[in-house]
């Protein structure tokens, strides 16, 4: 080149095109996407061969409550307990204390509450003046889940016993030294209602849920 523009020195400047940064960015995104798809595909293959999704779904289905068109049987209350009514129970009232007239007073009150009254007198020798508690309820083995619980609503502190040798269906209320009176009528009625009320059946819970 002539004129005032001259190139001096032993090296010449190289003319290179500008770097294409847009292409490099696109290649980076494409590589990242390809790696992500490859990893997702690998996980899918692992689930197919191991059955992980099916096992998880089955486990979750087992822990979910079954849906039915109507109410669940387990949610419905069980039938009421079949116990006799007070009018079907004959009670013998015995006084094992030194307080006179206590057996007759108690028998009169039980009669007002609907019970049938049998014998009213002093307690037999095996119990007379030997009971420290409120009293003892005594009946045949069949009365254990029938007449005795019903009579027990009238005297909550009494001890219930059964006599396998007893042949009749009557039950005894033997008054002890700790006797302070029968339960209040309202409390006795509430206890009797609870005794005969239907009770819900608990739903079993599967292990592992």
């Amino acid at each position: 080149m002539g004129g005032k523009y001259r190139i001096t020195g032993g090296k010449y400047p190289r003319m290179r095109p500008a770097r294409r940064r847009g292409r490099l960015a696109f290649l980076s995104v494409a590589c990242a996407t390809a790696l992500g798809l490859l990893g997702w595909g690998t996980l899918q293959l692992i689930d197919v061969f191991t059955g992980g999704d099916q096992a998880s779904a089955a486990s979750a289905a087992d822990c979910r409550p079954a849906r039915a068109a109507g109410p669940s049987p387990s949610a419905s209350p069980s039938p009421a307990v079949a116990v006799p009514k007070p009018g079907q129970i004959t009670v013998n009232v015995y006084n094992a204390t030194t307080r006179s007239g206590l057996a007759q007073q108690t028998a009169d009150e039980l009669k007002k509450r609907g019970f049938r009254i049998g014998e009213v007198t002093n307690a037999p020798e095996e119990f007379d003046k030997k009971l420290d508690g409120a009293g003892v309820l005594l009946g045949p083995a069949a009365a254990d889940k029938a007449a005795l619980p019903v009579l027990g609503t009238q005297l909550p502190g009494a001890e219930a016993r059964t006599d396998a040798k007893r042949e009749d269906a009557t039950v005894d209320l033997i008054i002890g030294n700790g006797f302070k009176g029968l339960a209040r009528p309202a409390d006795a009625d509430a206890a009797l209602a609870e005794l005969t009320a239907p009770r819900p059946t608990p739903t079993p819970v599967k292990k592992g849920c």
Side-chain angles (χ1 to χ4, degrees):
M1 297 178 63
K4 60 180 180 180
Y5 298 100
R6 294 183 179 182
I7 296 175
T8 61
K11 296 182 180 180
Y12 297 91
R14 296 182 180 180
M15 305 300 291
R16 293 184 300 178
R19 295 180 180 178
R20 298 180 179 179
R21 296 181 179 179
R23 178 179 293 181
L24 293 177
F26 173 77
L27 291 176
S28 298
V29 173
C31 290
T33 303
L35 290 175
L37 291 175
L38 181 61
W40 180 81
T42 303
L43 291 176
Q44 293 299 315
L45 289 175
I46 293 175
D47 287 340
V48 168
F49 285 105
T50 60
D53 289 344
Q54 294 180 357
S56 299
S59 177
D62 290 341
C63 293
R64 288 195 301 266
R67 294 183 179 179
S72 174
S74 61
S76 61
S78 60
V81 179
V83 295
K85 296 180 180 180
Q88 299 173 311
I89 302 174
T90 299
V91 184
N92 303 314
V93 183
Y94 299 117
N95 184 6
T97 73
T98 57
R99 292 176 284 174
S100 61
L102 197 56
Q104 188 61 56
Q105 295 174 8
T106 304
D108 292 342
E109 183 62 28
L110 287 174
K111 187 176 181 179
K112 292 179 182 178
R113 301 183 184 190
F115 290 88
R116 295 180 179 179
I117 302 301
E119 188 175 7
V120 180
T121 185
N122 293 328
E125 184 179 355
E126 59 179 313
F127 295 107
D128 192 25
K129 301 179 183 62
K130 298 176 182 178
L131 298 180
D132 295 330
V136 170
L137 308 181
L138 182 63
D144 184 35
K145 297 184 181 300
L148 290 180
V150 175
L151 183 57
T153 61
Q154 310 301 314
L155 188 58
E159 176 187 356
R161 302 181 186 178
T162 57
D163 183 5
K165 298 180 180 180
R166 174 165 294 195
E167 297 180 355
D168 60 9
T170 63
V171 293
D172 302 339
L173 190 158
I174 307 172
I175 302 173
N177 293 323
F179 180 80
K180 296 181 179 179
L182 297 175
R184 294 185 306 172
D187 295 338
D189 291 343
L192 184 59
E194 183 179 356
L195 181 65
T196 59
R199 300 176 183 178
T201 302
T203 303
V205 179
K206 296 182 180 180
K207 295 182 178 180
C209 296

